[in-house]
């Protein structure tokens, strides 16, 4: 009988220990609630650009609200693709995020046939943070006060007008391709290595027009050195309420928006995506943050994960033909 009693006693002891452990675990809060360590924000461009500025402003605000450091990690290369790939291949635990202009996710896939990330399979998109429309500006010698007059002038002078971009395959290049296609005009593309030299030549009259970020050209428009015709977004730009959109001033349906997206690797738990969305949107809509974004030529959006994914799909489809028509490719 003793061996039997010993076995029973041992089983009872194990059951009692298991029950105590279960009670103890149930009584304790979850271990390591998110976030429990620093978050890394990958900016796929060099310091000083739009994604870097957004990441640093937002990172500082987030670190204050969530009680963890947010570190900005610049990973430039391949028009933003290197940084995006790094995030796509990271552990989906909410501690590595991508802060990028939408072009990296919607234009690059059409330019790079061997791109090693998929915009919709490899990411869980958190929010569209800000929107930065393009400002269609012309040199004052161009006799056009609006988009309708610009199109008429371009049709009367085929092949004699040109526009500058920040490089082949850039969004400023493709904005012009889309304009040419929709307006049925022939305005020549002149690529530059960046916005600064392109604007210098525009001011000198060597270039006739440009689709530009607002901030670099607005002082020149106000001084009369350039003429601002329209904004490329779907609706009017808040800081310039009297400036019409291209769509409403001569080219219906034309929309080009460079919105900034915050994404995590695919497979990141939904609870973490929801928490990040709530925190990020709240920080973006703080008056101080919104004012800083406007100063940098952007408006705060703060969308849901579903809304930003839908916007990316629309933008992805919109750029397929302009990229094909431009003949641009990764080189």
């Amino acid at each position: 009988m003793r061996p039997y009693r010993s076995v029973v006693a041992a089983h009872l002891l194990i059951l009692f220990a298991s029950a105590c452990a279960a009670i103890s675990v149930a009584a304790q809060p979850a271990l390591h609630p998110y976030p429990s360590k620093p978050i890394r924000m990958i900016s796929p461009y060099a310091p000083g650009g739009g994604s870097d500025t957004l990441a640093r402003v937002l990172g500082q605000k987030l670190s204050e609200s969530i009680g963890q450091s947010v570190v900005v990690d610049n990973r430039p290369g391949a028009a933003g693709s290197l940084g995006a790939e790094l995030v796509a291949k990271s552990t989906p635990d909410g501690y590595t995020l991508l802060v990028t202009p939408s072009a990296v996710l919607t234009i690059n896939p059409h330019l790079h046939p061997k791109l090693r990330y998929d915009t919709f399979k490899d990411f869980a998109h958190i929010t569209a943070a800000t929107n930065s429309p393009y400002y269609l500006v012309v040199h004052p010698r161009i006799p056009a006060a609006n988009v309708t007059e610009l199109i008429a002038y371009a049709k009367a002078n085929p092949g004699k007008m040109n526009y500058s971009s920040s490089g082949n395959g850039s969004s400023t290049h493709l904005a012009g391709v889309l304009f040419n296609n929709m307006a049925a005009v022939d305005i020549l593309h002149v690529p530059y290595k960046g916005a600064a030299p392109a604007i210098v030549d525009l001011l000198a009259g060597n270039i006739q027009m440009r689709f530009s970020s607002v901030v670099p050209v607005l002082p020149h428009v106000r001084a009369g050195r350039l003429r601002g015709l329209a904004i490329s977004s779907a609706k009017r730009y808040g800081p310039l309420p009297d400036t019409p959109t291209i769509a409403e001033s001569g080219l219906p349906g034309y929309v080009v928006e460079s919105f900034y997206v915050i994404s995590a690797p695919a497979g990141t738990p939904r609870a973490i995506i929801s928490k990040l969305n709530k925190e990020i949107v709240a920080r973006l809509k703080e008056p101080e943050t919104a004012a800083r974004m406007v100063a940098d030529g952007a408006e705060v959006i703060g969308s849901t994960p579903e809304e930003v994914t839908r916007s990316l799909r629309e933008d992805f489809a919109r750029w397929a033909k302009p990229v094909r028509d431009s003949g641009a490719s990764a080189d």
Side-chain angles (χ1 to χ4, degrees):
M1 293 292 290
R2 284 183 179 177
Y4 172 76
R5 288 176 180 173
S6 297
V7 170
V8 171
H11 277 294
L12 288 173
L13 186 60
I14 292 170
L15 288 172
F16 178 73
S18 298
C20 289
I23 292 171
S24 175
V25 169
Q28 292 178 3
L31 296 176
H32 307 303
Y34 177 86
S36 60
K37 62 180 182 180
I39 294 173
R40 183 169 58 145
M41 279 188 169
I42 303 295
S43 169
Y45 290 98
S51 58
D52 177 71
T53 298
L54 173 61
R56 292 183 188 282
V57 172
L58 184 58
Q60 180 181 349
K61 291 290 185 180
L62 269 180
S63 65
E64 295 169 0
S65 68
I66 64 178
Q68 290 291 341
S69 297
V70 178
V71 180
V72 178
D73 186 355
N74 297 92
R75 295 297 181 100
S81 296
L82 293 184
E85 182 186 347
L86 188 155
V87 175
K89 307 305 180 187
S90 295
T91 303
D93 55 8
Y95 291 101
T96 304
L97 306 179
L98 176 67
V99 182
T100 182
S102 54
V104 172
L105 300 170
T106 62
I107 293 178
N108 283 11
H110 300 300
L111 290 170
H112 301 251
K114 297 181 180 179
L115 202 65
R116 289 184 289 186
Y117 61 84
D118 184 288
T119 299
F120 304 105
K121 293 179 181 179
D122 293 332
F123 296 98
H125 302 297
I126 299 167
T127 188
T130 61
N131 176 42
S132 298
Y134 292 120
Y135 198 6
L136 174 54
V137 294
V138 298
H139 189 274
R141 286 202 295 263
I142 296 299
N146 54 54
V147 173
T148 299
E149 292 178 3
L150 176 66
I151 292 172
Y153 181 78
K155 286 184 175 181
N157 297 274
K160 295 181 180 179
M161 281 191 65
N162 56 36
Y163 75 95
S164 66
S165 82
S166 300
N168 282 313
S170 66
S171 53
T172 49
H173 170 199
L174 298 174
V177 173
L178 186 62
F179 189 90
N180 275 343
N181 289 349
M182 293 183 66
V185 295
D186 181 19
I187 303 174
L188 301 178
H189 168 233
V190 181
Y192 284 76
K193 293 183 177 180
I199 293 172
V200 168
D201 263 9
L202 177 62
L203 290 166
N206 299 322
I207 297 294
Q208 283 83 55
M209 62 178 270
R210 175 172 173 78
F211 295 88
S212 173
S213 298
V214 175
V215 172
V217 296
L218 187 55
H220 301 299
V221 171
R222 288 174 171 164
R225 291 186 290 268
L226 294 175
R227 184 182 302 122
L229 299 188
I231 291 291
S232 69
S233 49
K235 60 182 181 179
R236 293 196 180 196
Y237 178 55
L240 296 173
D242 296 329
T243 302
T245 66
I246 294 174
E248 70 178 307
S249 60
L251 197 56
Y254 184 96
V255 176
V256 175
E257 297 177 313
S258 178
F259 55 97
Y260 283 82
V261 182
I262 300 177
S263 307
T268 301
R270 179 67 192 190
I272 291 178
I273 296 296
S274 296
K275 182 179 179 65
L276 284 168
N277 177 268
K278 181 179 178 180
E279 286 289 342
I280 290 170
V281 171
R283 302 293 78 75
L284 284 170
K285 294 191 174 181
E286 291 178 1
E288 182 182 351
T289 307
R292 174 62 190 275
M293 293 299 101
V294 168
D296 287 323
E299 285 188 291
V300 166
I301 303 175
S303 67
T304 66
E306 293 75 21
E307 287 169 341
V308 64
T309 302
R310 183 166 60 249
S311 294
L312 286 169
R313 289 190 182 280
E314 292 170 355
D315 222 43
F316 189 94
R318 180 182 294 119
W319 287 119
K321 187 176 186 300
V323 171
R324 187 168 60 249
D325 291 345
S326 73
S329 62
D331 51 21

